[in-house]
Amino acid sequence: MVPGYTIVKLHIFHSGYCVSHGRVVDPVQGQKHCRFYATWALIDHPEQGLILFDTGYALRFRTATASWPYRLYALMTPLFLEAHETALERLKTLGYTPDQIKTIIISHFHGDHIAGLKDFPQAKVFCSASAWAQAGAVKGWAAVSKGILPDLIPADLEQRLYCIVDSDLGQLKKADSAYDLFGDGSIQLYALPGHGRGQLGALLQTPEGPVFLAADAAWQLEPWRAGILPKSIVRLFFDDWGAYKRTFGELRDFAEAHRDCRIVFTHSPELVER
């Protein structure tokens, strides 16, 4: 933990998974199919209350992908999800009600990160300005090609949305440049461009030390540590392959310079194993 910063409690859950071939994730050692668990984080702030970082899958993903062209999304990322695994149901099991979620931070608007968004209608929602500029505008095939499912976006989202100008987000090369969400150092937001438009990550100060929620800046921890990029075919649906590679490398440099910081990727299997 960093002296003088507000400390938050962090809990990581998963809401279902999709599958892909291991060679896509790790062209060197990947084998057969691997699971992309849709993890999300519950952050307990002593003053701001309960906060979510992303929301994972929800059952409405199936209805949002029931017709063309959105059905292609489901065919490309087959979903495996039980009703009790959604963020809403997991939180209910812990004794929380949806209106207790005061804030949601959206890393980017891909379906596996926002499918549960409609379950928390009282929450303020933070995202990058460029992420919303795209997600709020694209439809049809253009949306599918960017990983966007319009039916997952709440109709009143703009009334609760707080867009952060991308240039105000922290830059990995400048660790002291972060966007301090609450002004107390507890949650600092960084730009992680490349995978999804306007993707951002969050550096948290927890009792166990700093944790960087790095979304999809990489898919799995071990290939990233080894410097192994995913198979280049992913550039077909990534927002910017060049930016992705830069973020991938800059985050490795960041981790080397901050060895006490735990790096967490949304789909890395060790999160579920833990």
Side-chain angles (χ1 to χ4, degrees), residues 1-3 5-8 10 12 185-188 190 202-214 254-255 257-264 274:
M1 67 183 67
V2 179
Y5 285 2
T6 297
I7 304 303
V8 298
L10 172 66
I12 296 176
S186 61
I187 302 177
Q188 300 178 74
Y190 284 81
L203 177 62
L204 313 180
Q205 301 300 328
T206 79
E208 293 77 30
V211 178
F212 198 118
L213 302 179
F254 178 95
H258 302 83
R259 294 194 175 188
D260 63 330
C261 182
R262 179 186 172 204
I263 309 296
V264 173
R274 289 167 68 98

Coordinates of all heavy atoms in Angstrom, one line a residue, residues 1-3 5-8 10 12 185-188 190 202-214 254-255 257-264 274:
M1 N 0.8 -1.2 0.0 CA 0.0 0.0 0.0 C 0.9 1.2 0.0 O 2.0 1.2 0.4 CB -0.9 0.0 1.2 CG -0.3 0.1 2.5 SD -1.4 0.0 3.9 CE -2.0 -1.7 3.8
V2 N 0.3 2.4 -0.5 CA 1.1 3.6 -0.6 C 0.6 4.5 0.6 O -0.6 4.8 0.7 CB 0.8 4.3 -2.0 CG1 1.5 5.6 -2.0 CG2 1.2 3.4 -3.1
P3 N 1.6 5.0 1.4 CA 1.2 5.9 2.5 C 0.4 7.1 2.0 O 0.8 7.7 1.0 CB 2.6 6.3 3.0 CG 3.5 5.2 2.6 CD 3.0 4.7 1.3
Y5 N -2.6 7.1 0.8 CA -3.6 6.8 -0.1 C -4.7 6.1 0.7 O -4.5 5.3 1.6 CB -3.1 5.9 -1.2 CG -2.3 6.6 -2.3 CD1 -2.0 8.0 -2.2 CD2 -1.9 5.9 -3.4 CE1 -1.3 8.6 -3.2 CE2 -1.1 6.6 -4.4 CZ -0.8 7.9 -4.2 OH -0.1 8.5 -5.2
T6 N -6.0 6.3 0.2 CA -7.1 5.5 0.8 C -7.0 4.1 0.3 O -6.8 3.8 -0.8 CB -8.4 6.2 0.4 OG1 -8.5 7.5 0.9 CG2 -9.6 5.4 0.9
I7 N -7.2 3.2 1.3 CA -7.2 1.7 0.9 C -8.6 1.2 0.7 O -9.5 1.5 1.4 CB -6.5 1.0 2.1 CG1 -5.1 1.6 2.4 CG2 -6.4 -0.5 1.8 CD1 -4.2 1.6 1.3
V8 N -8.7 0.4 -0.4 CA -9.9 -0.3 -0.7 C -9.8 -1.8 -0.6 O -8.7 -2.3 -0.8 CB -10.4 0.1 -2.1 CG1 -10.6 1.6 -2.2 CG2 -9.4 -0.3 -3.2
L10 N -10.7 -5.4 -2.3 CA -10.9 -5.9 -3.6 C -11.3 -7.4 -3.6 O -10.7 -8.2 -2.9 CB -9.6 -5.8 -4.4 CG -9.6 -6.4 -5.8 CD1 -10.5 -5.7 -6.8 CD2 -8.1 -6.4 -6.4
I12 N -12.5 -10.5 -6.5 CA -12.7 -10.8 -7.9 C -13.6 -12.0 -8.1 O -13.4 -13.0 -7.4 CB -11.3 -11.0 -8.5 CG1 -10.5 -9.7 -8.5 CG2 -11.4 -11.5 -10.0 CD1 -9.1 -9.8 -8.9
G185 N -6.3 8.8 -4.2 CA -5.3 7.8 -4.6 C -5.8 6.4 -4.6 O -5.0 5.5 -4.9
S186 N -7.0 6.1 -4.2 CA -7.5 4.7 -4.0 C -7.7 4.0 -5.4 O -7.3 2.8 -5.5 CB -8.8 4.7 -3.3 OG -9.8 5.4 -4.0
I187 N -8.2 4.7 -6.4 CA -8.4 4.2 -7.7 C -7.9 5.2 -8.7 O -8.4 6.3 -8.9 CB -9.9 3.9 -7.9 CG1 -10.5 3.0 -6.9 CG2 -10.1 3.3 -9.3 CD1 -12.0 2.7 -7.0
Q188 N -6.8 4.7 -9.4 CA -6.2 5.6 -10.4 C -6.4 4.9 -11.8 O -6.1 3.7 -12.0 CB -4.7 5.8 -10.1 CG -4.5 6.5 -8.8 CD -3.1 6.6 -8.4 OE1 -2.4 7.5 -9.0 NE2 -2.6 5.8 -7.5
Y190 N -5.9 4.4 -15.9 CA -4.8 4.5 -17.0 C -5.4 4.1 -18.3 O -6.3 3.2 -18.4 CB -3.7 3.6 -16.7 CG -2.7 4.1 -15.6 CD1 -3.1 3.9 -14.2 CD2 -1.5 4.7 -15.9 CE1 -2.2 4.3 -13.2 CE2 -0.7 5.1 -14.9 CZ -1.0 4.9 -13.6 OH -0.2 5.4 -12.6
A202 N -7.4 0.1 -14.0 CA -7.5 0.8 -12.7 C -6.4 0.2 -11.8 O -6.3 -1.0 -11.6 CB -8.8 0.6 -12.1
L203 N -5.6 1.2 -11.2 CA -4.6 0.8 -10.2 C -5.2 1.1 -8.9 O -5.6 2.2 -8.6 CB -3.4 1.7 -10.4 CG -2.3 1.5 -9.4 CD1 -1.7 0.1 -9.4 CD2 -1.1 2.5 -9.6
L204 N -5.3 0.0 -8.1 CA -6.0 0.1 -6.8 C -5.0 0.0 -5.6 O -4.0 -0.8 -5.8 CB -7.0 -1.0 -6.6 CG -8.0 -1.3 -7.8 CD1 -9.0 -2.4 -7.4 CD2 -8.8 0.0 -8.1
Q205 N -5.3 0.6 -4.5 CA -4.5 0.5 -3.3 C -5.3 -0.4 -2.3 O -6.3 0.0 -1.9 CB -4.2 1.8 -2.7 CG -3.4 2.8 -3.6 CD -2.0 2.2 -4.0 OE1 -1.4 1.5 -3.3 NE2 -1.6 2.6 -5.3
T206 N -4.8 -1.6 -2.1 CA -5.5 -2.6 -1.3 C -4.6 -2.9 0.0 O -3.4 -2.6 0.0 CB -5.8 -3.9 -2.0 OG1 -4.6 -4.7 -2.1 CG2 -6.2 -3.6 -3.5
P207 N -5.2 -3.6 1.0 CA -4.4 -4.0 2.1 C -3.2 -4.9 1.8 O -2.3 -4.9 2.6 CB -5.4 -4.7 3.0 CG -6.8 -4.1 2.6 CD -6.6 -3.9 1.1
E208 N -3.4 -5.6 0.7 CA -2.3 -6.6 0.3 C -1.3 -5.9 -0.6 O -0.3 -6.6 -1.0 CB -2.9 -7.8 -0.4 CG -3.8 -8.7 0.5 CD -5.1 -8.1 0.8 OE1 -5.6 -7.3 -0.1 OE2 -5.7 -8.3 1.9
G209 N -1.5 -4.7 -0.9 CA -0.6 -4.0 -1.8 C -1.3 -3.5 -3.1 O -2.5 -3.8 -3.3
P210 N -0.6 -2.8 -4.0 CA -1.2 -2.3 -5.2 C -1.6 -3.4 -6.2 O -0.9 -4.4 -6.3 CB -0.2 -1.4 -5.8 CG 1.1 -1.8 -5.2 CD 0.8 -2.4 -3.9
V211 N -2.8 -3.2 -6.8 CA -3.3 -4.2 -7.8 C -3.7 -3.4 -9.0 O -4.4 -2.4 -8.9 CB -4.5 -5.0 -7.3 CG1 -5.0 -5.9 -8.3 CG2 -4.1 -5.8 -6.0
F212 N -3.2 -3.8 -10.2 CA -3.6 -3.2 -11.4 C -4.6 -4.0 -12.2 O -4.2 -5.1 -12.6 CB -2.3 -2.9 -12.3 CG -2.5 -1.9 -13.4 CD1 -1.8 -0.7 -13.4 CD2 -3.4 -2.1 -14.4 CE1 -1.9 0.2 -14.4 CE2 -3.6 -1.2 -15.4 CZ -2.9 0.0 -15.4
L213 N -5.8 -3.6 -12.3 CA -6.8 -4.3 -13.1 C -6.6 -3.8 -14.5 O -7.0 -2.7 -14.9 CB -8.2 -3.9 -12.6 CG -8.5 -4.2 -11.1 CD1 -9.9 -3.8 -10.7 CD2 -8.3 -5.7 -10.8
A214 N -6.0 -4.7 -15.3 CA -5.5 -4.3 -16.7 C -6.5 -4.8 -17.8 O -6.1 -4.8 -19.0 CB -4.1 -4.9 -16.9
F254 N 6.0 -1.3 -17.0 CA 5.4 -0.8 -15.7 C 5.5 -1.8 -14.6 O 5.9 -1.5 -13.5 CB 3.9 -0.5 -16.0 CG 3.2 0.0 -14.8 CD1 3.0 1.3 -14.6 CD2 2.6 -0.9 -13.9 CE1 2.3 1.8 -13.4 CE2 1.9 -0.5 -12.8 CZ 1.8 0.9 -12.6
A255 N 5.3 -3.1 -14.9 CA 5.3 -4.2 -13.9 C 6.8 -4.4 -13.4 O 7.0 -4.6 -12.3 CB 4.8 -5.5 -14.5
A257 N 9.0 -2.0 -13.2 CA 9.3 -0.9 -12.4 C 8.6 -0.9 -11.1 O 8.9 -0.2 -10.2 CB 9.1 0.4 -13.2
H258 N 7.5 -1.7 -11.0 CA 6.6 -1.7 -9.8 C 6.4 -3.2 -9.4 O 5.3 -3.7 -9.6 CB 5.3 -1.0 -10.1 CG 5.4 0.4 -10.5 ND1 5.7 0.8 -11.8 CD2 5.4 1.6 -9.8 CE1 5.8 2.1 -11.9 NE2 5.6 2.6 -10.7
R259 N 7.4 -3.8 -9.0 CA 7.4 -5.2 -8.7 C 6.4 -5.6 -7.6 O 6.1 -6.8 -7.4 CB 8.8 -5.8 -8.5 CG 9.7 -5.7 -9.7 CD 10.9 -6.5 -9.5 NE 11.7 -6.5 -10.7 CZ 12.8 -7.2 -10.9 NH1 13.2 -8.1 -9.9 NH2 13.5 -7.2 -12.0
D260 N 6.1 -4.6 -6.8 CA 5.1 -4.9 -5.7 C 3.7 -4.9 -6.1 O 2.8 -5.2 -5.4 CB 5.3 -3.9 -4.5 CG 5.0 -2.5 -5.0 OD1 5.2 -2.2 -6.2 OD2 4.6 -1.7 -4.1
C261 N 3.5 -4.6 -7.4 CA 2.1 -4.4 -7.9 C 1.7 -5.7 -8.6 O 2.4 -6.2 -9.5 CB 2.1 -3.2 -8.9 SG 0.4 -2.9 -9.6
R262 N 0.5 -6.2 -8.3 CA 0.0 -7.4 -8.9 C -0.8 -7.0 -10.2 O -1.7 -6.1 -10.1 CB -1.0 -8.1 -7.9 CG -1.6 -9.4 -8.5 CD -2.6 -10.0 -7.5 NE -3.4 -11.0 -8.2 CZ -4.6 -11.4 -7.7 NH1 -5.1 -10.9 -6.7 NH2 -5.2 -12.4 -8.4
I263 N -0.5 -7.6 -11.3 CA -1.2 -7.3 -12.5 C -2.3 -8.3 -12.7 O -2.1 -9.5 -12.7 CB -0.2 -7.3 -13.7 CG1 1.0 -6.4 -13.5 CG2 -1.0 -6.9 -15.0 CD1 0.7 -4.9 -13.3
V264 N -3.5 -7.8 -13.0 CA -4.7 -8.7 -13.2 C -5.3 -8.5 -14.5 O -5.7 -7.4 -14.8 CB -5.7 -8.5 -12.0 CG1 -7.0 -9.2 -12.3 CG2 -5.1 -8.8 -10.7
R274 N -7.6 -19.3 -8.2 CA -7.4 -18.8 -6.8 C -8.7 -18.8 -6.0 O -8.7 -18.8 -4.8 CB -6.9 -17.3 -6.9 CG -5.5 -17.2 -7.4 CD -5.1 -15.8 -7.7 NE -5.1 -15.0 -6.5 CZ -4.0 -14.7 -5.8 NH1 -2.8 -15.2 -6.2 NH2 -4.0 -13.9 -4.7

